[in-house]
Amino acid sequence: MSDEEWVAEGKLDKYVEKLRNAPLICPDLCTKLFEGVVSTGVHCWGPSSTIPHPAEEFSAHDMDEDHCTQMETDAPHASDESSGRSKHHEGQGNSKRVRRNTFDDDLREVGKEIVNVAKMLVESERLNREKEDDVDACMEKLEKMEWGEGDPRYDTALLLFGESADLRKVWLRLKTSSCESWVRNTGRKSHMYTKGEIIAFLLLSWYWLMLARKRKRGIERIRDNDSALTGHAYTQDLLHGSSTQCHEMMRVSREAFVLLCNHFKQRNWLQASRTISAEEKMAMFLHIIGHNERFRVVKRRFQHSTQTVHQCFHEVLVAMMSFAKEIIVPTSSDGTTNISERHQRLKNIFSGAIGALDGTLVHAVLPANQQPCFRGRGKGECYQNVLGICDFDMIFTYVWAGWEGIAHDSRVLKEIASNPTFGFRFPPPGKYYLCDAAYTNTRGFLAPYRNTRYWLADFRRRRALTKEERFNHAHAQLRNVIERAYGVLKARFPILKQMAPYPFPVQRDVVIACFAVHNFIRKYNIQDELFMDFEETTMATPNVQGEGSEGIEWGSEGVEYTTTLRNQIANQLFSSASS
């Protein structure tokens, strides 16, 4: 940290200065414990970024369940029996793949040999044609034998001349008295196959192998997607059935689903293919993120192959990134409806508040060598740290996903706000985001008093007494909007609580896609059961446009300014409660 940051932290905690100058205890042990456990945010990205969305290389790995099991978190308490069973299944899968490839490999080898033999025959024929002098000499000697053209000896000699150059050389070197016996003996031993017959035999052999391969595939490949209800029919049933069924299966209402599909088609982000409509592609995608289902389960429901489901999922996911850039932006709503008297009073006191800021942990699945950086709070599970800002209508105005789970919320905010390519919108002068005590209380970010009751549950049994407690209680009531927004988001998309084992960039994009769908439902004022369950009141959002991040003040001046503002609000709350 800089000197100004150390001074600012020292005013908040008296032990900071001692920690600053104290030597590190057990440096060797610390090196062993924390070596390699450093959060870098190398995979992070957000829709507000000026950097283009990183291109993803999709492969069959993230649709193969065998690959998925290798990505699972290695639990230290896993039994040897379960690991042995997994190895047994993996071995069975490998043996099936070996058996499946054996016949194809043999067929390719046979094909190569046939091609080589054909090339040799063609080359031999070319060489024989170049040696026409030998043939002419053989014919002259044959004419001297005075065998007629109808004589079997004459016909056999001609066949021997055409069979190979070696036989012609032998014929030329023989004495005339030995020619007759040589023709009879050699003709009897030779099969007399022509080169054309040999090539025809090889081609017939190749054709027979191809037929055998086709017949083998026809026997092994049995159509398993044989349900009478096709994916198109199922999608149409959701569109024309009850709204409850649509909400239960796709986690969005029928109205939201239709509007979402039409929006994607109008923007040319998603188009129908030859056999699959855009609505069916979107339905498959929402099924996966809404119920955390694997591709092998979705293929049964929509009657498509696993590869087709995989392609449709990634096609919609790529389109969702363009959609997120459009839908996750700072809002400029100035409505004042449906605000309770209590929240209206608090809103007037916190007149500079334009939204709430907080981080949340989303479950992640990574290879064993990458897990230490992602192990966050809890039971040793892996998480990615997601920073979100929402207005008082539960609409997210900024999202940044992909940070490692061990990264502290305040560090994530500083890294994002200090990088101009990340597109962070800093509040205008006199405005601020409400954030919890994990963040620095500085200009643009109003945090509660530390070492004082803050969470709403802390005030259920005993009301706020001091001015600090009254401020924290009012602050928590307003800032609670982002907690409810996260609650709606994770209740709608269970995949955020138990992520599927995709490559990590895909996991990050899935999180951003969930935020985009959340904003779409809220911005278009679509009636939704989940928002009704989590919504206490509909808060107004001031007409505020964000600025760049150049004005962020992490030093003592910004801390003093916000501390003075916080004390003024606390005094106002305390005096209004006393009167």
Side-chain angles (χ1 to χ4, degrees):
M1 293 190 300
S2 63
D3 294 338
E4 293 182 349
E5 291 175 342
W6 278 108
V7 173
E9 292 294 332
K11 294 181 179 180
L12 300 175
D13 192 340
K14 61 182 180 180
Y15 298 103
V16 170
E17 191 63 29
K18 295 181 180 179
L19 179 64
R20 179 182 182 182
N21 300 322
L24 183 63
I25 302 175
C26 302
D28 296 336
L29 179 60
C30 293
T31 302
K32 293 180 181 180
L33 289 175
F34 301 106
E35 186 177 9
V37 187
V38 179
S39 58
T40 59
V42 65
H43 296 294
C44 64
W45 188 80
S48 300
S49 175
T50 58
I51 302 175
H53 179 260
E56 298 169 3
E57 296 181 359
F58 302 135
S59 63
H61 288 313
D62 52 331
M63 71 175 178
D64 190 355
E65 290 183 355
D66 295 335
H67 175 75
C68 295
T69 56
Q70 298 175 9
M71 294 279 290
E72 293 291 346
T73 302
D74 297 331
H77 57 273
S79 63
D80 295 337
E81 181 182 358
S82 62
S83 61
R85 187 161 54 248
S86 301
K87 294 179 180 178
H88 175 67
H89 289 307
E90 183 179 358
Q92 286 183 343
N94 293 334
S95 62
K96 290 180 181 179
R97 286 191 289 270
V98 170
R99 288 195 299 268
R100 188 180 302 117
N101 295 333
T102 300
F103 187 81
D104 294 339
D105 294 340
D106 293 342
L107 184 59
R108 283 191 290 269
E109 291 297 328
V110 172
K112 291 179 181 179
E113 293 297 331
I114 291 176
V115 172
N116 292 334
V117 172
K119 289 180 179 180
M120 291 173 60
L121 291 174
V122 172
E123 182 66 19
S124 176
E125 182 66 21
R126 186 184 64 82
L127 294 175
N128 289 337
R129 289 177 180 176
E130 293 178 355
K131 298 181 179 180
E132 293 182 356
D133 296 339
D134 294 344
V135 177
D136 294 339
C138 291
M139 291 302 298
E140 290 179 2
K141 187 175 182 179
L142 181 61
E143 293 295 336
K144 294 178 181 180
M145 297 299 299
E146 297 181 353
W147 295 337
E149 293 185 0
D151 194 325
R153 294 172 295 178
Y154 186 88
D155 296 337
T156 302
L158 291 178
L159 292 175
L160 292 174
F161 296 161
E163 187 168 349
S164 68
D166 295 336
L167 294 177
R168 292 195 297 271
K169 291 179 181 180
V170 173
W171 168 262
L172 293 174
R173 293 179 181 180
L174 287 174
K175 296 181 180 180
T176 305
S177 59
S178 304
C179 289
E180 182 176 354
S181 60
W182 180 81
V183 168
R184 289 178 180 178
N185 294 331
T186 307
R188 191 182 302 115
K189 295 178 181 179
S190 178
H191 296 290
M192 296 301 176
Y193 291 135
T194 64
K195 295 177 180 178
E197 291 174 339
I198 295 175
I199 294 177
F201 173 75
L202 294 176
L203 292 177
L204 287 174
S205 301
W206 175 259
Y207 180 70
W208 178 84
L209 290 173
M210 292 296 293
L211 289 178
R213 180 187 184 190
K214 185 176 181 181
R215 184 171 179 269
K216 182 179 179 67
R217 285 188 172 182
I219 294 174
E220 288 186 350
R221 186 171 181 178
I222 301 175
R223 179 177 176 83
D224 53 356
N225 294 330
D226 55 356
S227 174
L229 186 62
T230 63
H232 176 74
Y234 176 70
T235 305
Q236 294 300 316
D237 184 49
L238 292 176
L239 290 174
H240 299 92
S242 65
S243 180
T244 303
Q245 179 187 9
C246 186
H247 188 275
E248 290 177 351
M249 300 310 298
M250 293 189 291
R251 307 304 295 159
V252 296
S253 64
R254 184 171 55 193
E255 179 186 1
F257 179 72
V258 173
L259 290 175
L260 187 64
C261 292
N262 291 337
H263 187 79
F264 272 62
K265 289 189 291 185
Q266 291 173 1
R267 297 287 187 178
N268 202 27
W269 293 332
L270 190 64
Q271 296 297 327
S273 61
R274 185 171 58 89
T275 58
I276 305 177
S277 63
E279 289 78 9
E280 189 175 352
K281 293 179 181 180
M282 183 65 70
M284 284 190 283
F285 180 82
L286 293 177
H287 262 78
I288 293 171
I289 67 173
H291 297 278
N292 195 15
E293 290 183 342
R294 299 298 186 266
F295 294 158
R296 298 185 185 276
V297 177
V298 176
K299 81 167 188 176
R300 301 290 181 184
R301 176 65 277 169
F302 288 89
Q303 298 296 294
H304 294 296
S305 66
T306 307
Q307 183 178 4
T308 301
V309 176
H310 168 265
Q311 292 174 349
C312 293
F313 173 80
H314 285 292
E315 182 181 353
V316 178
L317 184 62
V318 171
M320 279 288 177
M321 297 303 100
S322 301
F323 178 58
K325 281 183 166 291
E326 178 185 282
I327 204 73
I328 304 178
V329 293
T331 57
S332 58
S333 172
D334 56 357
T336 56
T337 59
N338 300 325
I339 300 179
S340 65
E341 183 179 353
R342 176 171 59 94
H343 282 89
Q344 181 64 62
R345 181 175 58 85
L346 293 176
K347 191 67 182 63
N348 293 334
I349 295 176
F350 291 88
S351 57
I354 60 174
L357 179 148
D358 197 10
T360 187
L361 295 178
V362 175
H363 183 259
V365 181
L366 296 111
N369 60 341
Q370 300 179 16
Q371 291 178 5
C373 293
F374 288 85
R375 293 194 187 277
R377 302 179 293 272
K379 301 179 181 179
E381 295 288 338
C382 293
Y383 298 94
Q384 60 169 302
N385 198 334
V386 181
L387 175 70
I389 301 175
C390 76
D391 59 21
F392 293 108
D393 199 27
M394 288 194 285
I395 297 176
F396 286 95
T397 60
Y398 186 85
V399 173
W400 196 264
W403 268 88
E404 295 86 346
I406 64 169
H408 194 271
D409 290 346
S410 61
R411 190 219 166 170
V412 174
L413 175 61
K414 289 182 179 181
E415 294 288 344
I416 293 173
S418 59
N419 194 328
T421 62
F422 289 172
F424 183 81
R425 298 293 181 178
F426 188 76
K431 303 296 181 180
Y432 47 83
Y433 296 122
L434 300 177
C435 53
D436 59 24
Y439 300 93
T440 303
N441 185 59
T442 186
R443 191 185 298 272
F445 305 92
L446 185 63
Y449 289 99
R450 294 183 179 181
N451 302 322
T452 305
R453 285 189 299 163
Y454 175 70
W455 304 107
L456 294 178
D458 297 337
F459 298 97
R460 290 176 181 173
R461 295 185 178 181
R462 186 164 60 94
R463 64 186 182 88
L465 300 176
T466 63
K467 69 173 185 177
E468 290 81 5
E469 290 184 349
R470 291 186 181 278
F471 174 88
N472 282 6
H473 189 203
H475 185 281
Q477 287 177 316
L478 278 182
R479 200 199 64 86
N480 184 254
V481 64
I482 195 167
E483 302 291 350
R484 291 185 281 120
Y486 282 139
V488 174
L489 185 72
K490 294 185 177 182
R492 188 184 307 279
F493 302 112
I495 196 172
L496 300 179
K497 298 179 180 178
Q498 185 65 45
M499 181 60 68
Y502 306 126
F504 186 74
V506 177
Q507 300 181 41
R508 176 204 61 208
D509 292 349
V510 167
V511 174
I512 296 175
C514 294
F515 277 93
V517 176
H518 170 100
N519 270 17
F520 178 81
I521 297 173
R522 195 61 171 171
K523 280 190 173 183
Y524 281 80
N525 296 321
I526 301 172
Q527 187 175 5
D528 186 81
E529 297 178 2
L530 290 175
F531 277 110
M532 295 174 64
D533 294 339
F534 283 84
E535 183 181 32
E536 295 178 355
T537 58
T538 303
M539 302 299 295
T541 303
N543 188 0
V544 175
Q545 294 294 332
E547 295 182 351
S549 58
E550 294 81 2
I552 297 180
E553 298 182 12
W554 302 111
S556 58
E557 183 180 351
V559 172
E560 292 177 359
Y561 169 82
T562 312
T563 301
T564 302
L565 176 63
R566 183 172 61 183
N567 292 334
Q568 292 176 356
I569 297 175
N571 293 330
Q572 183 179 357
L573 287 169
F574 187 76
S575 60
S576 61
S578 302
S579 58

